[in-house]
């Protein structure tokens, strides 16, 4: 290299490279103008030489071979043209500085090779000085370092790429000594905030979560001992103050003998992934628990192979694992297998469907299962199956509660209606027959009232049990409510068979049974209706049986009555009468008429009997012979009774205000009225409203009321009346079978001899004997005795001699309205 002016007129900016010389030989050569080159051509380096001013005057053969320049060429500053254009400025500057300083220089640059490419060379130049230290010449060498330079560049590029890769990587990189102590880390400082002085060695452990240090060091120690690669997940304190999950991998670099030279590894932030995994795991665990709690399995059905893949809990729930569908069907009833085929068809058609089916476990227990499936492709269905056995049991219980009587377990009215409809439908279709028996227990109310509801419940249960035992498998026994039962008979049931069964039922129910040490028995009335003999529609056939039952009870109970069309006509007339009576009550057309009771000893009026009359706008005055059926109506009887008592109380108040002595007014209460729990309070309240003392009222009770009514409630009501001063009269005495018993159980003050015994009193000595006995009984018990239906003087005289207290009948007066009674009372008062 040469920098400086040429001594031979060369360009001052041109340079040449000298060849190093020394000693007197060099000087002699210079003076003679010859350049010694013996042995220089054999050197591996390119050698050059230049004068003190930098003029290049020599290159050895190796230089010419390298550059391809002809011998004796390249002198002066020609060599600079062979330097790479990008390197020329730098090379000239360094060479110029060396010339000026007279010092050695060294430089790497690219030199044009004979192949046409630029190759890297290392150029060295040194000055040759005289004894006084003046530069006499420059000598130097070029060494071909192209391969080394390329390797160096490749290494630099590789290092650069490595650093860029490390920088671009999300992982942190580290190196550790064979003993595991960290030597260097890349990215750790940015992640954890630890500077090298803190994390080198084993300081990095301070950033690891306390709970993870022990397990991590155990893994790391085992790796150090075995020299094997490892990976571990643990939490590291991030510089933001939170612990984050990381994954660290360590790989050993070994020597030729297999010993570990060093460890290299990476650390990856997996916090988000770990959280997602934990969330997924939690979700999967929740799903597993939910499926376990819900007794649910998931499945996938391959329709091509007919193979079903099931979730792991299917073994626990169903006792099966994944497998072919036929294996599963071995435990499914045939009808449910058929339904499963339709289930798949509906999924193909609509995309999804649900079905319920039964499944038999290995232990013999049957489960109810529900499957929900959805199409997941042309040949794939996915879904879930869950246990609905408890739900089915609950539904069964709800259905049973809704369709069965809670006390007896028999079907109730709701289920009976469906059974009746189905039985008639089948009978119409196959020409069969249906018989319906409506059963009412005649004395159930007495059992309830005298022995309590527990005894009544036991009677109902016993009745249900006896009826059930008497029926065939195809027949149905139901409890309609209260003390009403029904029996539904199907083919080959005819009227005669139904009636015969009814008679057997009555006999069976009369058989006594023990309850709480007491003997119970019951009587029953039964109404029978059949198809096709009677009606064909459920509602009508039921009405027919009801009508027949009503007739059985009206005819004296304890019997079987078969329906006839005439009965319906009577019933319809009764219903029509009820409608007319209801309207008449609203128009105040019902009034009391009064018939006097006369003292046989004095001839004075000692009381009045109030009798209901209907002042019909078209038919005139009507007696109970026309409308008496309404007193059997549970709604109309109490309503009509209250209206009549109100009119009676007003009449009594007017008579009291007029100063008339009318004794007591007797009023007959029906069994329907006694079914009202507040009857006594209601009647006495009406009297109090008009200020009529209770001593002016008498309640007449027929034996029918005592037999039909609720025994306990009737007794309680009569006691209330009695204690308030109301007199109790037993009407129609002697016509019932239990008259004497009633005198014992009820607070009776007054007995009235039925007119049937008075009518033939003068001609029939038997009637006379009965009347005399009743009068004697009344005297013995201290009861007032009245004869009803007295129509002749002879009857009056005979009764007076027998000691009868009073009498009433047409002989004295017919029933009359209140104004006529007022006139009668006034006339009787004037006579006195």
């Amino acid at each position: 290299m040469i920098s400086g002016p040429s001594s031979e007129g060369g360009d001052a900016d041109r340079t040449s490279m000298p060849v190093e010389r020394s000693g007197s030989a060099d000087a002699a050569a210079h003076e003679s103008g010859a350049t010694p080159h013996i042995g220089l051509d054999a050197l591996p380096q390119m050698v050059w030489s230049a004068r003190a001013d930098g003029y290049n005057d020599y290159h050895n053969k190796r230089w010419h071979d390298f550059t391809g320049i002809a011998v004796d060429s390249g002198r002066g500053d020609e060599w600079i043209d062979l330097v790479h254009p990008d390197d020329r400025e730098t090379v000239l500057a360094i060479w110029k500085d060396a010339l000026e300083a007279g010092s050695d220089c060294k430089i790497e640059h690219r030199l044009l090779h004979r192949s046409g490419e630029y190759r890297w060379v290392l150029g060295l130049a040194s000055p040759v000085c005289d004894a006084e230290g003046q530069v006499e010449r420059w000598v130097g060498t070029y060494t071909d370092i192209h391969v080394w330079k390329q390797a160096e560049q490749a290494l630099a590029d590789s290092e650069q790429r490595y650093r860029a890769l490390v920088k671009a990587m999300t992982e942190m990189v580290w190196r550790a000594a064979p003993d595991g102590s960290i030597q260097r880390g890349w990215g750790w400082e940015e992640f954890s905030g630890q500077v090298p002085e803190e994390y080198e060695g084993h300081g990095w452990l301070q950033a690891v979560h306390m709970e993870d240090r022990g397990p991590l060091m155990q893994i790391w120690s085992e790796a150090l001992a075995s020299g094997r690669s490892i990976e571990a997940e643990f939490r590291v304190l991030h510089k933001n103050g939170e612990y984050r999950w990381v994954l660290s991998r360590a790989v050993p670099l070994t020597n030729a003998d297999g010993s570990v030279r060093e460890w290299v590894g990476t650390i990856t932030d997996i916090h988000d992934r770990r959280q997602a995994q934990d969330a997924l795991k939690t979700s999967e665990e929740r799903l597993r628990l939910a499926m376990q709690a819900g007794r649910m399995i998931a499945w996938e059905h391959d329709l091509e192979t007919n193979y079903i893949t099931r979730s792991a809990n299917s073994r626990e729930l169903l006792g099966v694992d994944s497998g072919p569908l036929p294996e599963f069907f071995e435990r499914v009833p045939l009808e449910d297998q058929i339904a499963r085929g339709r289930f798949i068809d509906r999924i193909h058609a609509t995309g999804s469907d649900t079905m319920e089916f039964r499944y038999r476990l290995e232990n013999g227990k049957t489960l109810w299962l529900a499957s929900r499936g959805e199409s997941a492709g042309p040949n794939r269905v996915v879904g879930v199956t869950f246990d609905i056995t408890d739900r089915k049991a609950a539904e069964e219980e709800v259905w049973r509660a809704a369709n069965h009587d809670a006390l007896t377990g028999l079907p109730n009215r709701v289920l009976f209606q469906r059974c009746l409809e189905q039985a008639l439908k089948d009978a119409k279709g196959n020409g069969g027959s249906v018989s319906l028996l409506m059963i009412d227990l005649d004395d159930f109310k007495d059992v309830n009232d005298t022995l309590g509801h527990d005894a009544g419940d036991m009677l109902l249960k016993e009745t249900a049990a006896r009826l059930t035992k008497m029926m065939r498998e195809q027949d149905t026994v139901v409890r309609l409510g209260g003390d009403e039962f029904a029996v539904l008979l199907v083919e080959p049931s005819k009227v005669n068979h139904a009636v015969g069964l009814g008679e057997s039922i009555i006999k069976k129910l009369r058989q006594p049974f023990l309850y709480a040490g007491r003997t119970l028995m019951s009587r029953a009335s039964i109404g029978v209706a059949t198809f096709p003999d009677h009606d064909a529609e459920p509602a009508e056939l039921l009405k027919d049986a009801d009508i027949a039952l009503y007739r059985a009870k009206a005819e004296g109970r304890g019997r079987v009555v078969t329906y006839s069309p005439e009965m319906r006509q009577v019933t319809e007339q009764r219903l029509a009468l009820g409608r007319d009576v209801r309207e008449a009550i609203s128009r105040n057309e019902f009034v009391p008429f009064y018939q006097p009771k006369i003292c046989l000893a004095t001839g004075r009026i000692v009381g009045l009997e109030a009798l209901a009359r209907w002042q019909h706008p078209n038919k005139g005055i009507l007696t109970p012979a026309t409308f008496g059926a309404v007193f059997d109506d549970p709604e109309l009887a109490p309503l009509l009774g209250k209206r009549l008592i109100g009119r009676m109380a007003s009449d009594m108040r007017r008579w009291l205000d007029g100063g008339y002595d009318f004794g007591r007014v007797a009023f007959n209460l029906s069994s329907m009225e006694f079914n009202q729990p507040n009857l006594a309070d209601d009647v006495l309240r009406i009297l109090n409203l008009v200020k009529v003392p209770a001593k002016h009222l008498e309640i007449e009770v027929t034996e029918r009321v005592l037999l039909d009514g609720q025994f306990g409630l009737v007794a309680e009501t009569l006691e209330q009346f009695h204690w308030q001063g109301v007199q109790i009269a037993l009407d129609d005495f002697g016509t019932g079978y239990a008259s004497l018993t009633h005198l014992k159980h009820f607070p009776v003050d007054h007995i009235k001899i039925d007119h049937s015994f008075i009518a033939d009193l003068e001609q029939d000595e038997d009637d006379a004997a009965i009347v005399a006995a009743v009068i004697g009984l009344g005297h013995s018990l201290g009861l007032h005795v009245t004869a009803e239906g007295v129509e002749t003087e002879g009857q009056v005289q005979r009764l007076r001699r027998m000691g009868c207290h009073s009498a009433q009948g047409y002989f004295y007066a017919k029933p009359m309205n209140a104004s006529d009674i007022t006139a009668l009372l006034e006339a009787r008062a004037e006579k006195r």
Side-chain angles (χ1 to χ4, degrees):
M1 299 177 190
I2 296 175
S3 176
S6 173
S7 60
E8 294 184 4
D11 190 338
D13 293 330
R14 305 292 287 181
T15 61
S16 61
M17 294 293 290
V19 177
E20 185 176 359
R21 297 284 304 271
S22 62
S24 58
D26 293 334
H30 178 67
E31 290 174 357
S32 65
T35 302
H37 57 274
I38 298 172
L40 293 182
D41 290 337
L43 292 175
Q45 288 88 8
M46 293 168 277
V47 180
W48 57 269
S49 176
R51 295 195 302 250
D53 59 3
Y55 181 84
N56 193 319
D57 56 6
Y58 172 78
H59 294 96
N60 71 349
K61 183 177 183 298
R62 184 70 63 185
W63 186 86
H64 289 287
D65 291 340
F66 181 87
T67 62
I69 300 299
V71 177
D72 296 332
S73 297
R75 294 181 179 273
D77 57 2
E78 292 178 1
W79 64 272
I80 196 63
D81 294 330
L82 300 178
V83 176
H84 194 285
D86 293 341
D87 299 339
R88 289 175 187 174
E89 184 176 350
T90 302
V91 170
L92 287 174
I94 294 173
W95 179 229
K96 181 178 180 180
D97 291 341
L99 289 174
E100 292 177 354
S103 61
D104 295 342
C105 69
K106 177 181 179 181
I107 189 170
E108 295 177 2
H109 64 88
R110 287 161 290 181
L111 189 66
L112 184 62
H113 188 262
R114 66 176 178 273
S115 64
E117 69 169 342
Y118 286 95
R119 294 180 65 86
W120 281 95
V121 295
L122 171 62
L124 298 175
S126 296
V128 178
C129 299
D130 57 16
E132 296 178 358
Q134 293 296 317
V135 176
E136 293 181 343
R137 288 192 67 81
W138 290 89
V139 294
T141 61
Y142 285 119
T143 303
D144 186 351
I145 61 171
H146 191 72
V147 174
W148 174 84
K149 193 68 173 179
Q150 281 186 320
E152 183 184 61
Q153 185 62 43
L155 181 61
D157 291 345
S158 176
E159 178 72 13
Q160 184 179 14
R161 283 194 298 270
Y162 174 75
R163 291 181 181 277
L165 182 61
V166 169
K167 187 175 182 180
M169 288 170 59
T170 57
E171 288 87 354
M172 294 158 270
V173 181
W174 54 268
R175 293 174 56 242
D179 63 357
S181 59
I182 299 299
Q183 296 175 329
R184 178 73 187 278
W186 291 268
W188 179 260
E189 183 175 341
E190 290 78 4
F191 183 81
S192 69
Q194 283 187 318
V195 297
E197 293 77 11
E198 294 174 322
Y199 69 71
E200 288 176 352
H202 298 285
W204 59 276
L205 276 172
Q206 298 303 313
V208 176
H209 195 285
M210 183 66 70
E211 295 178 1
D212 299 339
R213 290 179 190 175
L216 178 60
M217 286 309 298
Q218 178 67 27
I219 296 173
W220 189 217
S221 298
E222 293 174 358
L224 293 175
S226 64
R228 295 177 181 174
S229 300
I230 60 161
E231 64 178 40
E233 294 183 6
F234 52 93
R235 287 163 290 179
V236 171
L237 182 62
H238 192 269
K239 64 182 180 182
N240 64 9
E242 71 168 340
Y243 279 97
R244 296 184 65 84
W245 282 96
V246 298
L247 169 64
S248 181
R249 293 186 176 90
V251 177
L253 300 181
T254 58
N255 297 310
D257 60 0
S259 61
V260 176
R261 183 173 70 253
E262 67 174 342
W263 292 87
V264 294
T266 60
I267 297 176
T268 306
D269 184 345
I270 61 168
H271 191 70
D272 294 340
R273 188 193 77 190
R274 181 64 180 258
Q275 283 192 319
Q277 288 176 340
D278 290 345
L280 179 60
K281 183 177 180 181
T282 301
S283 177
E284 290 176 344
E285 179 64 14
R286 288 175 181 161
L287 178 60
R288 186 189 67 80
L289 293 175
M291 292 181 68
Q292 180 178 346
R295 295 181 60 77
M296 179 186 302
I297 66 170
W299 50 265
E300 179 180 327
H301 186 178
D302 187 327
L303 300 180
E304 283 190 348
T305 62
N306 219 17
Y307 188 89
I308 298 182
T309 303
R310 301 182 180 92
S311 55
N313 62 331
S314 65
R315 164 59 62 179
E316 177 184 354
L317 178 61
L318 303 179
V320 295
D321 297 310
S322 301
L325 182 61
E327 291 183 3
F328 183 79
F329 272 174
E330 291 177 359
R331 300 184 186 178
V332 177
L334 179 59
E335 57 269 31
D336 292 346
Q337 295 181 29
I338 297 172
R340 180 59 161 64
R342 294 195 292 267
F343 169 66
I344 296 297
D345 292 340
R346 288 192 297 270
I347 291 176
H348 281 314
T350 65
S352 64
D353 193 47
T354 301
M355 71 167 294
E356 297 178 357
F357 60 97
R358 289 157 296 172
Y359 181 82
R360 189 182 68 259
L361 296 175
E362 290 182 349
N363 60 11
K365 179 182 178 181
T366 296
L367 301 179
W368 269 101
L369 304 175
S371 285
R372 171 71 181 177
E374 293 189 1
S375 176
N379 295 303
R380 192 165 66 99
V381 174
V382 297
V384 293
T385 294
F386 43 96
D387 186 352
I388 59 171
T389 305
D390 292 342
R391 193 197 80 190
K392 280 291 187 179
E395 289 176 353
E396 176 69 21
E397 185 62 29
V398 170
W399 182 89
R400 182 168 184 81
N403 293 276
H404 288 76
D405 174 53
L407 178 65
T408 64
L410 294 177
N412 61 15
R413 186 181 293 272
V414 175
L415 183 55
F416 165 68
Q417 187 67 34
R418 292 201 294 269
C419 292
L420 177 59
E421 291 172 357
Q422 187 62 46
L424 287 172
K425 180 180 178 181
D426 294 342
K428 293 174 186 178
N430 58 28
S433 62
V434 174
S435 293
L436 179 60
L437 285 72
M438 301 293 289
I439 305 169
D440 185 85
L441 301 183
D442 294 334
D443 46 11
F444 175 71
K445 293 178 180 178
D446 288 344
V447 173
N448 254 354
D449 293 341
T450 57
L451 301 179
H453 289 285
D454 289 344
D457 289 348
M458 181 56 66
L459 177 58
L460 293 174
K461 291 180 180 179
E462 182 66 22
T463 300
R466 292 183 181 186
L467 290 174
T468 301
K469 288 180 180 178
M470 296 178 69
M471 297 304 121
R472 302 168 301 174
E473 184 177 351
Q474 64 265 38
D475 299 329
T476 305
V477 179
V478 300
R479 183 189 176 200
L480 299 177
D483 59 352
E484 286 189 329
F485 293 82
V487 172
L488 185 63
L489 306 175
V490 295
E491 185 74 32
S493 176
K494 301 293 183 180
V495 173
N496 292 339
H497 172 74
V499 172
L501 178 62
E503 297 290 352
S504 299
I505 289 173
I506 289 176
K507 292 178 183 179
K508 187 70 174 179
L509 296 183
R510 282 178 181 168
Q511 295 176 5
F513 67 95
L514 290 176
Y515 170 72
R518 303 191 62 169
T519 300
L520 299 182
M521 59 179 295
S522 66
R523 296 187 306 157
S525 298
I526 300 177
V528 176
T530 64
F531 167 83
D533 303 270
H534 304 131
D535 280 293
E537 296 304 315
E540 296 303 316
L541 191 65
L542 184 59
K543 187 181 295 183
D544 294 345
D546 268 331
I547 291 172
L549 175 60
Y550 181 84
R551 176 62 64 86
K553 295 172 74 69
E555 290 180 356
R557 309 187 177 211
R559 64 193 65 201
V560 179
V561 173
T562 302
Y563 169 79
S564 67
E566 293 77 15
M567 294 180 187
R568 181 180 286 262
Q569 183 178 0
V570 172
T571 300
E572 291 174 350
Q573 290 174 351
R574 178 166 54 86
L575 294 175
L577 175 63
R579 291 192 296 270
D580 293 342
V581 167
R582 188 175 285 103
E583 294 176 2
I585 292 174
S586 66
R587 294 193 295 264
N588 291 317
E589 293 177 359
F590 284 93
V591 297
F593 271 40
Y594 302 95
Q595 186 176 37
K597 288 187 288 186
I598 306 300
C599 177
L600 290 173
T602 64
R604 295 176 59 190
I605 296 175
V606 293
L608 304 169
E609 180 178 1
L611 303 166
R613 293 294 184 266
W614 183 356
Q615 293 177 320
H616 198 283
N618 301 320
K619 300 177 181 179
I621 302 299
L622 303 178
T623 68
T626 304
F627 61 85
V630 300
F631 290 110
D632 293 326
D633 188 297
E635 178 185 356
L636 290 177
L639 181 60
L640 179 56
K642 288 182 180 179
R643 289 297 180 92
L644 291 172
I645 292 174
R647 297 292 290 269
M648 288 167 47
S650 297
D651 291 340
M652 286 190 284
R653 183 67 263 168
R654 283 195 299 272
W655 294 330
L656 289 172
D657 291 342
Y660 303 119
D661 183 8
F662 55 87
R664 292 176 182 269
V665 176
F667 183 70
N668 200 309
L669 292 173
S670 68
S671 59
M672 290 297 105
E673 291 174 276
F674 272 102
N675 287 336
Q676 307 301 308
N678 299 318
L679 175 62
D681 292 337
D682 292 342
V683 172
L684 294 171
R685 183 167 55 252
I686 292 172
L687 295 178
N688 289 333
L689 287 175
V690 293
K691 303 297 189 294
V692 174
K695 67 180 182 179
H696 290 293
L697 180 65
E698 182 176 74
I699 297 298
E700 290 189 1
V701 184
T702 65
E703 288 192 286
R704 179 185 174 187
V705 170
L706 302 179
L707 291 171
D708 289 354
Q710 300 183 46
F711 185 92
L713 185 56
V714 171
E716 181 182 343
T717 302
L718 292 179
E719 287 289 349
Q720 285 183 273
F721 278 126
H722 183 73
W723 284 108
Q724 293 297 323
V726 177
Q727 199 169 72
I728 306 301
L730 185 57
D731 198 11
D732 300 335
F733 188 82
T735 60
Y737 73 93
S739 297
L740 296 179
T741 302
H742 296 150
L743 292 177
K744 178 181 178 181
H745 290 293
F746 297 97
V748 177
D749 303 296
H750 182 186
I751 55 177
K752 300 181 73 175
I753 304 173
D754 188 70
H755 66 88
S756 63
F757 298 109
I758 303 301
D760 296 327
L761 178 62
E762 299 175 83
Q763 297 83 22
D764 191 328
E765 290 302 319
D766 289 338
D767 285 350
I770 292 174
V771 172
V774 172
I775 293 172
L777 178 64
H779 283 287
S780 299
L781 297 176
L783 303 176
H784 188 86
V785 181
T786 298
E788 295 182 295
V790 176
E791 297 182 353
T792 67
E793 178 65 31
Q795 293 170 348
V796 172
Q797 294 302 326
R798 189 75 179 265
L799 289 168
R800 186 179 290 126
R801 287 195 299 271
M802 290 179 176
C804 187
H805 298 109
S806 58
Q808 70 181 82
Y810 283 5
F811 179 77
Y812 297 107
K814 292 181 179 182
M816 60 189 75
N817 60 34
S819 60
D820 291 338
I821 288 293
T822 301
L824 179 62
L825 291 174
E826 187 176 333
R828 293 268 180 163
E830 290 176 355
K831 289 182 179 180
R832 292 197 296 272

